[in-house]
Amino acid sequence: QVHLVESGGDSVQPGGSLRLSCAAAGYTDSMHCMGWFRQAPGKKREAVATIDSDGSTSVADSVKGRFTISQDNAKNSLYLQMNSLKPEDTAMYYCAASTRDYECNTIDAWGQGTLVTVSS
């Protein structure tokens, strides 16, 4: 079992930056993929960025060039650097992990979420 805890959410102005962190505990060696997902009010949860155990990344078109996903395997940590934030980036951001596939299509563990609000 994998346990995930996010941190770093905050309120920022448009154009600002934030760095989200996710600490993983438990059977972390079983994780094939980790990722960041977000859900805005009234909208479906969507994938923001994923990274597999080989370090290959995938980033949603809506955040490409602004968000960067990275991981520190030694610390069992996942990060999301978010730059040039826009009001439409406002959402609850969730850390997720898959032990079954390398593209995070099947999620086995979710964090509790961290709120990002972008507003002037």
Side-chain angles (χ1 to χ4, degrees):
Q1 192 171 5
V2 175
H3 184 60
L4 305 171
V5 178
E6 307 95 333
S7 61
D10 205 346
S11 295
V12 296
Q13 292 187 341
S17 297
L18 280 176
R19 188 192 194 211
L20 304 184
S21 299
C22 173
Y27 291 105
T28 56
D29 287 346
S30 65
M31 296 188 299
H32 295 321
C33 177
M34 293 189 74
W36 290 98
F37 291 71
R38 69 185 181 185
Q39 187 167 20
K43 294 188 176 181
K44 293 176 62 176
R45 189 174 297 188
E46 62 177 357
V48 176
T50 63
I51 185 167
D52 68 20
S53 54
D54 292 328
S56 296
T57 62
S58 177
V59 181
D61 288 342
S62 59
V63 304
K64 198 165 291 183
R66 300 188 297 120
F67 290 12
T68 303
I69 188 171
S70 61
Q71 63 185 3
D72 185 333
N73 291 327
K75 296 182 179 180
N76 288 326
S77 295
L78 181 74
Y79 306 100
L80 185 68
Q81 178 65 44
M82 305 186 295
N83 298 327
S84 302
L85 283 160
K86 304 176 180 179
E88 51 263 43
D89 295 319
T90 295
M92 186 71 79
Y93 284 71
Y94 298 91
C95 179
S98 175
T99 62
R100 289 179 277 175
D101 72 85
Y102 288 86
E103 297 175 348
C104 285
N105 290 320
T106 306
I107 299 300
D108 299 293
W110 292 97
Q112 83 288 350
T114 187
L115 182 62
V116 172
T117 303
V118 185
S119 174
S120 55

